[in-house]
Amino acid sequence: MSRGLRLALGVAAIMVAAASALRSAQSAAPVDVQLLAINDFHGYLQPAAGSNGRIGGVVAGGVEYLSTHLARLRAQSPNTLIVSAGDDIGASPLLSGLFHDDPTIDALNAAGLQISSVGNHEFDEGWVELLRMQRGGCHPTDGCRDRMRFPGAHFEYLGANVHFDRSRAEPPLLKQVGWPATGGPTTLFPPFVVKAIGGVKIAFIGVTLHETQHMVMPSRILPITFDNEATVINTLVSVLERQGVHAIVALIHQGGTQNPDRDINGCVGFDGPIVHIVHALSPEVAVVLSGHTHRAYNCTIDGKLLTSASSYGRVITRIHLRIDPVTDRIMSKTAENVIVTRDVPKDRAESAIIARYTPFYTALAHRVIGHAPRTVTRQTDAAGESALGDLIADAQLEAARRVAGPDVAVAFMNTGGIRADLASTASDGSITYEDAFGIQPFGNEIFVRTMTGASLLRVLEQQFDGSDTFRVLQVSDGFTYRYDRTRPPGHRVDPATVKMNGQRLRPDTAYKVAMNEYLADGGDGFAAFGEGTNQIDCGSDIDALTSYLSSHSPLTPRRGDRIARDDRRD
């Protein structure tokens, strides 16, 4: 056989082999992958009471039922990953909050959670404590109250936009967490993780909302800044693409709302910050699992699947992905929000975790502190005022006056710090310490500072300095004012209407003002509270609330009409 013939035959053989390989690749079956997603669990190991424990008319939630539902759904697909879009912990009920959320991490480990973005509430006790949640170990002050070493999260926390600046971190804290003063990663947690499953690769990028820096006490996140969500994600998409990873899912702790908000699988009149983020994302991001707003929705925006699973473990989002095994690209994607009903058996492992912690909190939790014949709601009216907000502000004013004197003029409370309605689960209307703790679970101190009337006016204006949102502070009895959002920024509150017990606020007069620790530290962007001087610590907010409930029972709350709105633009 001539050399030319041998060469021709060799080339032909290579071409046949290549064609065969191409046909084999083209005929490879797509890989089906199931994602099971939750968000905003907030330590609700036991089912929530009242409206927080229902989806529509269906009672829902509780980790014992959540874990059972997850296990049943996982059994339907061999290629399943369980993920979360953040706020797994923080603002938690007493059973978890009393133990710095160790029980919740234990419970989510048992439920099989594998990946979670951080949310704003992950930082409630500070970045060092959040690292303990991931790594494990006993609390530095309270230890391990169940006498077992806390193992930490078995799942991976992600925080692509959580930038860590070592130059701003206190050296003792760096030493405590075992980090050098220089060098090392620039994010608190890994920005993404790539999972191989069923022969394909999927990347998960985790971010929290950029506004986290305004929602946590600045002192607890001092070395940290939170970068723009879409910018960070798009940068990482380019990195992943260069690594040959093309199936990309974003876990974003930011969300939106439907209007009306009725169908957990709907996307009606949908709006919110997440919409702008999704529009700005690279088309390579096929799926966005979101949270933060505690709503359930199922949308498609710019070809991207966008979902959220409500809150408190009441809903699971079930996502079905079909992935090309040759290109590793997502061929199709669908989602369904599934209610976590309580008509299934309780997961025994979760029941054991709850039982392990229960003896340490039962006596405190079940102590009756007052009576409420009917629910006192945190639902705000058009002006931003709520019956429960009025009650809490009054409680803090009363507590402040006991310590700082009867001349304390007013107390302010941030609406976001009111986590649940005041509602009794007992037939006699009794309110327990656990009920009160569920309303104010953050453990804030109450401070009194001396502020001028001019500083108070700046506080009021800061409620409305956002272009799209406003955050109305709850105020104590005797303080009244009016505002109009159609007026220019900085002039939305009419100074002539700001009064204390009917007397007009005087800009050059000094007043004693009560506020919680969060506001005093500039939380929610209320920097003007920092202008106060002569700080006096008046005890904890939960003690103020329980004392008020005890001394004013049975409760007969009344709306004080303390805040009035002269426009009705929503």
Side-chain angles (χ1 to χ4, degrees):
M1 183 182 297
S2 69
R3 181 183 177 189
L5 180 58
R6 286 197 303 271
L7 180 60
L9 289 174
V11 171
I14 291 172
M15 293 178 64
V16 169
S20 176
L22 178 61
R23 285 193 300 272
S24 176
Q26 289 174 337
S27 63
V31 176
D32 291 324
V33 175
Q34 177 180 242
L35 306 180
L36 303 177
I38 61 172
N39 53 270
D40 297 276
F41 183 65
H42 286 294
Y44 270 79
L45 304 180
Q46 296 171 317
S51 61
N52 286 344
R54 297 191 299 273
I55 291 292
V58 180
V59 292
V63 76
E64 294 161 299
Y65 304 106
L66 172 66
S67 193
T68 296
H69 279 279
L70 286 171
R72 289 185 174 186
L73 291 172
R74 184 171 52 214
Q76 297 178 26
S77 172
N79 302 323
T80 296
L81 294 168
I82 301 177
V83 302
S84 169
D87 274 9
D88 305 315
I89 58 175
S92 305
L94 186 64
L95 177 58
S96 186
L98 186 62
F99 306 100
H100 304 281
D101 280 319
D102 290 8
T104 292
I105 299 298
D106 287 343
L108 293 176
N109 288 342
L113 183 63
Q114 294 162 279
I115 308 165
S116 179
S117 67
V118 294
N120 55 292
H121 282 289
E122 256 79 22
F123 294 92
D124 281 349
E125 293 196 40
W127 66 272
V128 174
E129 175 65 2
L130 180 53
L131 281 178
R132 186 183 75 86
M133 292 289 98
Q134 179 73 85
R135 298 173 174 180
C138 298
H139 189 272
T141 302
D142 293 335
C144 288
R145 297 191 187 183
D146 68 344
R147 297 181 175 85
M148 295 176 63
R149 186 185 184 280
F150 172 58
H154 297 165
F155 54 91
E156 298 177 85
Y157 266 124
L158 303 177
N161 67 332
V162 184
H163 181 79
F164 190 83
D165 183 354
R166 277 172 172 71
S167 67
R168 300 173 62 215
E170 297 179 8
L173 293 182
L174 288 174
K175 184 177 180 180
Q176 180 180 335
V177 300
W179 279 1
T182 59
T186 58
T187 56
L188 195 64
F189 293 106
F192 64 83
V193 64
V194 178
K195 293 289 187 181
I197 185 168
V200 297
K201 293 178 293 185
I202 307 176
F204 295 87
I205 302 173
V207 299
T208 186
L209 68 163
H210 172 67
E211 291 81 5
T212 294
Q213 55 204 3
H214 303 303
M215 305 177 76
V216 180
M217 291 185 192
S219 59
R220 296 183 180 180
I221 53 171
L222 181 61
I224 296 173
T225 55
F226 299 86
D227 301 326
N228 178 271
E229 306 94 335
T231 301
V232 169
I233 290 172
N234 289 341
T235 299
L236 292 172
V237 166
S238 299
V239 172
L240 289 165
E241 289 275 295
R242 289 195 296 270
Q243 295 178 3
V245 181
H246 305 292
I248 300 175
V249 175
L251 304 173
I252 304 180
H253 191 72
Q254 178 58 290
T257 58
Q258 298 187 69
N259 186 20
D261 187 21
R262 296 172 183 167
D263 181 3
I264 65 171
N265 280 293
C267 190
V268 180
F270 191 78
D271 197 9
I274 192 65
V275 175
H276 307 292
I277 296 172
V278 171
H279 281 313
L281 288 178
S282 163
E284 299 301 323
V285 179
V287 178
V288 176
L289 308 179
S290 65
H292 187 59
T293 55
H294 292 202
R295 306 300 176 91
Y297 45 80
N298 188 351
C299 302
T300 298
I301 298 176
D302 286 351
K304 304 175 184 72
L305 184 63
L306 169 66
T307 68
S308 178
S310 186
S311 58
Y312 308 140
R314 294 175 293 172
V315 171
I316 298 167
T317 303
R318 185 183 190 186
I319 302 102
H320 174 238
L321 305 178
R322 179 154 288 179
I323 300 175
D324 187 326
V326 178
T327 65
D328 270 347
R329 294 187 182 277
I330 295 175
M331 303 166 60
S332 65
K333 51 194 181 292
T334 59
E336 176 190 11
N337 279 325
V338 180
I339 297 176
V340 177
T341 59
R342 301 181 200 164
D343 57 356
V344 298
K346 294 181 178 180
D347 183 282
R348 293 182 179 180
E350 302 291 5
S351 298
I353 290 170
I354 292 173
R356 192 169 80 237
Y357 285 96
T358 296
F360 296 92
Y361 96 107
T362 298
L364 176 64
H366 296 167
R367 177 165 61 89
V368 175
I369 57 173
H371 290 79
R374 62 182 183 275
T375 296
V376 184
T377 179
R378 61 176 175 153
Q379 181 66 44
T380 57
D381 61 16
E385 183 179 356
S386 73
L388 185 52
D390 288 352
L391 184 151
I392 291 173
D394 290 348
Q396 295 189 0
L397 179 64
E398 189 173 278
R401 284 175 172 171
R402 283 196 297 269
V403 177
D407 57 340
V408 178
V410 61
F412 291 93
M413 175 63 194
N414 57 303
T415 302
I418 306 172
R419 305 304 298 182
D421 294 339
L422 177 61
S424 173
T425 58
S427 58
D428 64 352
S430 59
I431 299 295
T432 65
Y433 183 88
E434 185 173 29
D435 295 329
F437 186 91
I439 295 168
Q440 292 191 278
F442 297 111
N444 281 316
E445 292 292 294
I446 300 171
F447 296 144
V448 167
R449 289 177 176 172
T450 301
M451 301 182 68
T452 65
S455 292
L456 283 177
L457 286 173
R458 281 190 283 275
V459 166
L460 296 178
E461 286 294 345
Q462 285 178 345
Q463 298 176 111
F464 314 111
D465 60 6
S467 58
D468 298 321
T469 60
F470 62 106
R471 48 201 185 281
V472 174
L473 295 167
Q474 306 300 293
V475 297
S476 55
D477 190 29
F479 188 88
T480 57
Y481 69 95
R482 307 182 72 89
Y483 70 90
D484 185 339
R485 290 182 65 214
T486 63
R487 298 176 67 182
H491 302 279
R492 289 172 172 165
V493 176
D494 182 358
T497 69
V498 183
K499 297 180 180 179
M500 291 188 183
N501 298 314
Q503 300 298 311
R504 183 172 172 179
L505 185 78
R506 296 182 178 275
D508 57 350
T509 298
Y511 301 91
K512 284 185 178 180
V513 180
M515 67 206 73
N516 63 24
E517 184 179 357
Y518 175 76
L519 291 173
D521 207 18
D524 274 357
F526 286 101
F529 280 117
E531 299 173 15
T533 59
N534 304 321
Q535 180 168 294
I536 302 171
D537 191 334
C538 300
S540 73
D541 57 0
I542 184 63
D543 287 346
L545 180 60
T546 56
S547 175
Y548 187 89
L549 294 176
S550 296
S551 60
H552 291 268
S553 285
L555 288 172
T556 54
R558 59 183 177 82
R559 288 289 296 279
D561 293 327
R562 304 166 188 185
I563 307 169
R565 181 176 178 180
D566 290 329
D567 69 281
R568 286 296 182 268
R569 185 184 64 185
D570 296 320

